[in-house]
């Protein structure tokens, strides 16, 4: 598990702003936070070096790309052994329909967030790419009606940690 990084109020403010719009210029960030642009640049660079900021991603609308149906696939792999799950995860990550793969505890081993064109495409994906694999014992499909982004992600407040 990675170590926590100590963040001061300026760092937290920068992270809030960048999570809302990662394209904000250093000049605008500095003005909103109340520091010099060079200080802002140094702070963001330190947050990158320390691993707090992992990168920047472009967010796409799956529906506009012809993938208007999203689902969560709960997958049980048997036997759950490293030599089977490694190739399974790499294959699932390589699928163009896969958005996110989670390794879980509990009765299901993986939760896979997928975006497909329609129900027929979802059925094809489940049958041809999941249940056709020998190591997949079970797949449960849950359709996503709507989703909301949350955030920004910030460290727990000291009062939340002591309670």
């Amino acid at each position: 598990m990675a170590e926590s990084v100590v963040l001061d109020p300026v760092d937290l403010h920068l992270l809030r702003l960048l999570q809302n719009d990662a394209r904000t210029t250093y000049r605008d960030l500095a003005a909103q936070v109340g520091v010099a642009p060079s200080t802002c640049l140094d702070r963001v660079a330190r947050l990158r070096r320390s691993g707090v900021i992992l990168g920047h991603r472009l967010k796409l609308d799956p529906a506009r790309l012809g993938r208007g149906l999203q689902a969560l696939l709960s997958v049980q792999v048997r036997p759950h052994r490293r030599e089977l799950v490694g190739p399974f995860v790499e294959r699932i990550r390589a699928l163009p329909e896969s958005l996110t793969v989670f390794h879980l505890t509990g009765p299901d081993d993986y939760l896979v967030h997928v975006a497909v064109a329609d129900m027929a495409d979802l059925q094809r994906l489940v049958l041809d790419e999941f249940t056709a694999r020998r190591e997949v014992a079970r797949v449960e499909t849950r359709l996503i009606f709507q989703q909301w982004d949350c955030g920004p992600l910030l460290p727990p407040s000291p009062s939340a940690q002591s309670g």
Side-chain angles (χ1 to χ4, degrees):
M1 187 172 198
E3 284 188 38
S4 294
V5 174
V6 177
L7 304 171
D8 67 16
V10 172
D11 294 330
L12 294 173
H13 196 176
L14 285 169
L15 291 173
R16 262 189 217 96
L17 293 169
L18 286 170
Q19 285 184 82
N20 288 330
D21 184 359
R23 295 177 303 164
T24 305
T25 66
Y26 288 115
R27 179 175 294 151
D28 290 342
L29 283 172
Q32 291 180 61
V33 175
V35 298
S38 60
T39 301
C40 181
L41 180 65
D42 290 344
R43 293 266 188 150
V44 172
R46 182 180 53 79
L47 291 167
R48 281 195 183 106
R49 280 191 314 273
S50 66
V52 172
I53 296 176
L54 297 176
H56 305 278
R57 292 193 176 142
L58 185 64
K59 185 174 179 180
L60 304 175
D61 182 346
R64 300 250 182 201
L65 296 173
R67 297 181 182 278
L69 181 65
Q70 292 184 51
L72 296 172
L73 307 179
S74 300
V75 182
Q76 194 176 72
V77 174
R78 293 295 176 257
H80 195 120
R81 292 195 320 250
R82 189 173 302 278
E83 64 270 13
L84 291 176
V85 300
F88 169 78
V89 169
E90 290 312 308
R91 173 65 187 140
I92 299 310
R93 289 183 67 211
L95 294 172
E97 298 89 353
S98 295
L99 300 175
T100 311
V101 180
F102 299 95
H103 191 190
L104 308 172
T105 63
D108 297 315
D109 300 310
Y110 296 92
L111 184 64
V112 184
H113 181 190
V114 299
V116 295
D118 52 29
M119 288 298 287
D121 195 26
L122 180 59
Q123 182 181 26
R124 177 207 52 80
L125 178 70
V126 170
L127 293 176
D128 295 347
E129 299 295 345
F130 285 85
T131 60
R133 297 185 63 92
R134 283 182 285 155
E135 69 273 25
V136 173
R138 185 177 59 80
V139 175
E140 282 187 20
T141 304
R142 291 172 179 82
L143 299 180
I144 298 173
F145 291 136
Q146 194 170 2
Q147 78 182 63
W148 296 268
D149 288 332
C150 301
L153 177 65
L154 297 173
S157 64
S159 61
Q161 291 177 352
S162 63

